[in-house]
Amino acid sequence: MSEKSSSRLASNLEQLVSRMENIHFQRGSEMDQVSGVLGNMDKLVDVLARIELQRQSEQQLNEKLDRLSKIMERVSEETVPTRDDDVAVEQTLRKIIKGVKVTGKVMDIIAGSLGAMFDTISTTVKQPDRQNLTRSNNKEIDLASVLAPVGALLQGFLGVASEQSDSSSKSSQSKTSKPEDIAD
């Protein structure tokens, strides 16, 4: 019996050792699974933190966009153009166009007059008969005496141009704007 009891004891000890090894193996595999789960939970926490930061950033951006849209609405309400503003701009443009036209006409007259004067002077200088008549006392042409009428002519044109621009501005203030004024 003692043999039977010792063999039973040995088999019980072997079973106990194998159970302990199985329990230890199961605990080890469970610990590996838990550590894997903990690693995945850490990753999940990081992802959730990034999502929360992104949500906060989006919320701040939405708040800024709301403030910007409110400001834009206030600005657009304040600067709604009225018909009077359109008329004032149109009148200003018409005045500028008339001023440019008058200036162009004056410049055309001055250029034509200067061209005619220089043609006359050059033909006078080139003709030998006339050169002797004008150079009886002097051997050179007196350009100051030639340019004096040009200066007087220019001053006269400037006076006429300023009178025209004054009268056109007075008449444009008294008249209402018409589309055919631009074509003039």
Side-chain angles (χ1 to χ4, degrees):
M1 263 209 210
S2 86
E3 256 181 59
K4 256 185 173 184
S5 66
S6 55
S7 72
R8 220 190 301 174
L9 185 62
S11 95
N12 283 341
L13 281 175
E14 279 182 37
Q15 287 177 356
L16 188 61
V17 168
S18 72
R19 281 186 188 170
M20 291 289 279
E21 285 176 350
N22 283 338
I23 290 172
H24 180 66
F25 178 72
Q26 286 176 352
R27 296 253 180 204
S29 66
E30 286 175 1
M31 290 301 270
D32 290 341
Q33 288 175 354
V34 167
S35 65
V37 167
L38 287 176
N40 288 336
M41 287 182 77
D42 288 340
K43 290 178 185 177
L44 182 62
V45 167
D46 289 340
V47 168
L48 288 174
R50 279 186 281 168
I51 289 172
E52 180 64 24
L53 286 174
Q54 187 176 11
R55 188 191 63 76
Q56 288 175 354
S57 298
E58 288 174 357
Q59 185 178 4
Q60 289 175 351
L61 180 64
N62 285 336
E63 289 172 0
K64 288 179 182 179
L65 287 173
D66 288 341
R67 279 188 267 148
L68 181 64
S69 66
K70 288 177 184 177
I71 290 171
M72 293 296 290
E73 286 175 6
R74 276 190 264 140
V75 168
S76 65
E77 288 173 359
E78 291 175 2
T79 59
V80 174
T82 61
R83 186 66 191 148
D84 295 336
D85 292 340
D86 293 341
V87 172
V89 170
E90 188 176 326
Q91 288 176 351
T92 303
L93 290 175
R94 288 182 192 279
K95 287 178 184 178
I96 290 171
I97 291 171
K98 285 183 182 179
V100 168
K101 286 180 183 177
V102 168
T103 304
K105 288 178 183 178
V106 168
M107 293 301 289
D108 186 37
I109 292 170
I110 291 171
S113 299
L114 286 175
M117 289 179 74
F118 284 122
D119 287 343
T120 305
I121 291 171
S122 66
T123 55
T124 303
V125 170
K126 288 182 182 177
Q127 290 179 355
D129 297 337
R130 290 193 168 201
Q131 282 181 353
N132 293 335
L133 292 175
T134 57
R135 291 188 185 178
S136 60
N137 292 337
N138 294 339
K139 296 206 175 202
E140 296 181 12
I141 297 175
D142 186 16
L143 289 178
S145 63
V146 172
L147 292 177
V150 173
L153 184 64
L154 287 175
Q155 288 177 351
F157 283 132
L158 289 177
V160 169
S162 65
E163 288 174 10
Q164 285 181 352
S165 65
D166 289 342
S167 66
S168 68
S169 66
K170 288 178 185 176
S171 66
S172 68
Q173 290 173 355
S174 63
K175 288 195 298 184
T176 59
S177 305
K178 295 179 184 175
E180 56 266 12
D181 290 341
I182 294 175
D184 288 341

